[in-house]
Amino acid sequence: MNLVKANNETITAAAGIIKQGGLVAFPTETVYGLGADALNPIAVAKIFEVKKRPAFNPLILHIAEKDSLKKFATFDDKKVDLLIKKFWPGPLTLVLPKTEIVPDIVTSGNPTVAVRMPDHPVALQLIKSSGTAIAAPSANRFGHLSPTEASHVSKYLGEKVDMILDGGKCKVGVESTIVQFYEGKFYMLRPGGLSKEEIEKEIGTLEKGKIDIAKPTSPGQLPFHYSPHTPLKFWDTKFLDKNKRIGVLFFSKLKTEFPFSAVKILSEKKDLREAAANLFSALHEFEKEKLDMILVEPVEEKGLGIAIMDRLKKAAKKFD
Ligand code: TXA
Ligand code: MG
């Protein structure tokens, strides 16, 4: 049985699991989270696998001390400071420009990262004892209701999680409110446990509508999902033109003699977890190579392969 009452002993054991790259479901004041070491891309890939998410969604990074935000996000703004002072720990997630150490699989390749400090003693103790930040979506299967009791997690995810820490019923019961700080303005991305009115009382009126991604200020600065700027196509020998600079993204490796300008392999041992963990970084690296085209080998659409292919198909569609 992986469901245990949260106490000093079980939280220490859970922290050990996080450090070793395992998955722990834990209570927060909003809903239960499915946590992994945010700085371990393979552990984060497991989250998507267990949730059976058909696509990669960026994850919220959970921290236990306000000061550690600086490790993961960059900003210099008095109003952001104020929100943190006023509402952390609590049901407010801030989306800010990310630092280098946040793996691309956590942010789905976005240049921004979502961070929050949960207001729950079990969550805070778990994060502190793990010595890292914990990436966690709600601990439900994709498309199901968010869990507000440990038994919900166990019903949805069962033995697929290494440990479920039971910390009772979540007192807020809905997910955190998500606010993005972008170019000096604040945008509400998701309503949640902290009301708009409470936020506006501190920092003034939030922007109406969504961030205008039609007018990105510079490549790579898009606030939302990342697509490579280099044309991306699925593998077909008809694209092999020696006059072009072509980069190839192999799943494991196809047989070919073609002189590619750049070659990346997602997983030599054909492990979908490892492939998922490497996907966004590989695409980012290709961007720096000034290629005419990126060719990608499709992966089998099962398990994490579904999310990997979803991402690649979206990227390829742009260049149809
Ligand atoms: O209350 C909560 O926020 C719970 C607990 C466990 O902390 N977590 C949660 O996570 O609701 P999840 O994965 O179910 O929802 C996270 C949301 C998604 O809608 C995702 O798109 C958004 O956060 N998000 C994460 N990173 C983002 C980013 N860099 N930019 C924009 N949206 C982001
Ligand atoms: Mg969710």
Side-chain angles (χ1 to χ4, degrees), residues 254-308:
L254 288 170
K255 257 206 158 87
T256 170
E257 310 263 282
F258 189 84
F260 289 107
S261 302
V263 177
K264 300 206 183 295
I265 295 175
L266 287 177
S267 171
E268 298 263 7
K269 49 183 199 269
K270 295 196 173 196
D271 173 11
L272 285 169
R273 238 178 233 171
E274 185 178 42
N278 289 331
L279 177 67
F280 289 103
S281 321
L283 292 177
H284 274 299
E285 281 165 32
F286 275 136
E287 286 290 271
K288 297 183 199 145
E289 309 258 358
K290 304 214 179 336
L291 300 165
D292 297 309
M293 183 186 289
I294 301 166
L295 284 181
V296 300
E297 177 189 6
V299 305
E300 199 186 343
E301 288 187 71
K302 62 163 208 228
L304 277 178
I306 299 171
I308 294 173

Side-chain angles (χ1 to χ4, degrees), residues 49-298:
E49 189 175 60
V50 166
K51 272 194 72 111
K52 294 210 186 303
R53 265 194 178 168
F56 295 110
N57 249 344
L59 301 174
I60 298 174
L61 219 133
H62 296 69
I63 58 174
E65 274 139 14
K66 293 181 186 179
D67 277 352
S68 56
L69 175 62
K70 292 197 280 289
K71 277 193 251 167
F72 309 108
T74 55
F75 62 95
D76 180 10
D77 187 89
K78 290 252 158 13
K79 286 185 176 173
V80 176
D81 294 338
L82 188 63
L83 289 176
I84 292 165
K85 184 159 176 254
K86 199 77 195 173
F87 298 117
W88 279 10
L92 172 69
T93 295
L94 291 171
V95 175
L96 300 162
K98 81 175 194 77
T99 59
E100 279 283 307
I101 67 162
V102 181
D104 287 314
I105 189 168
V106 171
T107 66
S108 297
N110 281 296
T112 55
V113 64
V115 186
R116 85 178 194 97
M117 180 176 171
D119 185 15
H120 196 292
V122 174
L124 294 173
Q125 193 178 332
L126 174 67
I127 300 163
K128 274 187 200 149
S129 316
S130 305
T132 182
I134 296 186
S138 46
N140 52 303
R141 281 250 202 131
F142 172 76
H144 286 217
L145 292 172
S146 288
T148 52
E149 291 177 35
S151 63
H152 302 162
V153 182
S154 141
K155 190 172 81 196
Y156 292 139
L157 305 176
E159 301 291 320
K160 292 202 175 73
V161 195
D162 298 304
M163 191 184 271
I164 301 170
L165 285 174
D166 186 351
K169 207 165 164 222
C170 303
K171 63 173 198 263
V172 176
V174 293
E175 288 93 341
S176 61
T177 301
I178 305 180
V179 170
Q180 177 158 13
F181 176 66
Y182 183 67
E183 298 197 330
K185 294 179 178 156
F186 291 87
Y187 300 79
M188 170 97 103
L189 301 188
R190 176 177 78 180
L194 180 68
S195 74
K196 185 171 172 245
E197 290 73 16
E198 279 179 274
I199 297 169
E200 291 189 332
K201 215 159 71 192
E202 300 303 325
I203 59 163
T205 317
L206 293 165
E207 294 302 317
K208 292 206 172 50
K210 296 240 176 289
I211 297 165
D212 188 1
I213 58 167
K215 289 186 250 157
T217 45
S218 68
Q221 286 301 302
L222 286 168
F224 290 125
H225 286 274
Y226 181 87
S227 261
H229 301 284
T230 315
L232 182 148
K233 306 266 187 200
F234 284 100
W235 176 267
D236 191 322
T237 48
K238 76 175 182 208
F239 294 126
L240 299 179
D241 174 350
K242 288 198 172 127
N243 297 315
K244 287 197 170 141
R245 285 180 54 79
I246 301 179
V248 66
L249 182 62
F250 288 123
F251 173 36
S252 57
K253 195 156 173 57
L254 288 170
K255 257 206 158 87
T256 170
E257 310 263 282
F258 189 84
F260 289 107
S261 302
V263 177
K264 300 206 183 295
I265 295 175
L266 287 177
S267 171
E268 298 263 7
K269 49 183 199 269
K270 295 196 173 196
D271 173 11
L272 285 169
R273 238 178 233 171
E274 185 178 42
N278 289 331
L279 177 67
F280 289 103
S281 321
L283 292 177
H284 274 299
E285 281 165 32
F286 275 136
E287 286 290 271
K288 297 183 199 145
E289 309 258 358
K290 304 214 179 336
L291 300 165
D292 297 309
M293 183 186 289
I294 301 166
L295 284 181
V296 300
E297 177 189 6

